Amino acid sequence: MKIIMLGAPGAGKGTQAKMISEKYGLPHVSTGDIFRANIKNGTELGKEAKKYMDQGQLVPDELTVKILLDRVAQPDCKNGYVLDGFPRTIPQAEVLDKALTELGDKVDFAINVDVPDENIINRMSGRRACVTCGATYHVVYAPTKVEGVCDKCGSNLILRDDDKPETVKARLEVYHKQTQPLIEYYDKKGVLKEVDGTVDMHEVFNSIVSILS
Ligand code: ADP
Ligand code: AMP
């Protein structure tokens, strides 16, 4: 099963992708996580990606498409995956479709987690990410047992630089201009599914499970 998570930054794509990954045993592939791991390890890719990420802009398609295609060619992705944060532009979607078509394959579901812009700033300013394992929390909606400490690995939590309100505004603009058109793109292909992302995260997940089952 090949699943794409669509939605604004902070809509809950990562939260839902992790739950889908656990329930269905599919790898969770997040281009944002891949870029952040590269930044942390000081690679050339990380240095290049950081320039765009810090501004709330998209990393150029040429770079992003390459890392994504390399990742989904790994053996663990053979039976499917959940894509979180990719595609973010029509050209990215077209490259993915072409690669899948060449394998006689296709995207099964594009799930749009719908959350209006007014809720997004609140979501992002309260999001906390683990510096070591990348787990994400929310100070109100998904708090850790001990404040500022990751439940999974015990490392410190941070507010991502690009989750600061000034950058979130830029990211939302980029989302509406470059990523939102993908909703129509996947609707035309007959694989679009919409879920209300404003309700409790377990309710959102129940809706997704009904779609996938
Ligand atoms: P995305 O991957 O779309 O950028 P995340 O999954 O990281 O978004 O979610 C953004 C923030 O909102 C996180 O802090 C997360 O814990 C919180 N969150 C996710 N889903 C919900 C929900 N349904 N209700 C409230 N908060 C949520
Ligand atoms: P995310 O963790 O998905 O919110 O992504 C964080 C940042 O990484 C984005 O704001 C972009 O700068 C960059 N990024 C992640 N995925 C992509 C993508 N598919 N295309 C371009 N840039 C991306």
Side-chain angles (χ1 to χ4, degrees), residues 38-163:
N38 275 274
I39 292 173
K40 198 171 157 204
N41 295 331
T43 68
E44 282 308 312
L45 169 67
K47 282 181 200 146
E48 187 62 20
K50 191 174 186 324
K51 290 190 222 158
Y52 300 92
M53 291 168 76
D54 283 351
Q55 305 297 316
Q57 300 300 313
L58 296 184
V59 178
D61 285 346
E62 306 80 72
L63 271 184
T64 310
V65 157
K66 188 182 174 315
I67 60 147
L68 188 277
L69 292 181
D70 285 351
R71 176 65 189 90
V72 297
Q74 301 294 312
D76 65 323
C77 288
K78 210 168 112 248
N79 296 321
Y81 39 78
V82 193
L83 295 187
D84 159 20
F86 185 98
R88 263 181 157 101
T89 64
I90 299 273
Q92 289 181 11
E94 288 171 345
V95 171
L96 177 65
D97 275 344
K98 187 166 172 277
L100 287 173
T101 305
E102 279 166 12
L103 298 168
D105 208 343
K106 64 172 181 51
V107 168
D108 298 294
F109 298 100
I111 301 174
N112 184 39
V113 184
D114 188 28
V115 174
D117 286 9
E118 3 353 331
N119 301 23
I120 294 291
I121 302 269
N122 186 19
R123 287 263 180 109
M124 307 291 254
S125 57
R127 172 157 65 183
R128 296 292 179 273
C130 174
V131 286
T132 306
C133 76
T136 45
Y137 302 91
H138 191 282
V139 289
V140 177
Y141 308 120
T144 45
K145 293 191 184 85
V146 179
E147 199 186 317
V149 179
C150 179
D151 286 348
K152 296 200 173 101
C153 75
S155 299
N156 290 336
L157 302 182
I158 51 152
L159 171 68
R160 267 165 54 180
D161 279 343
D162 62 346
D163 280 352

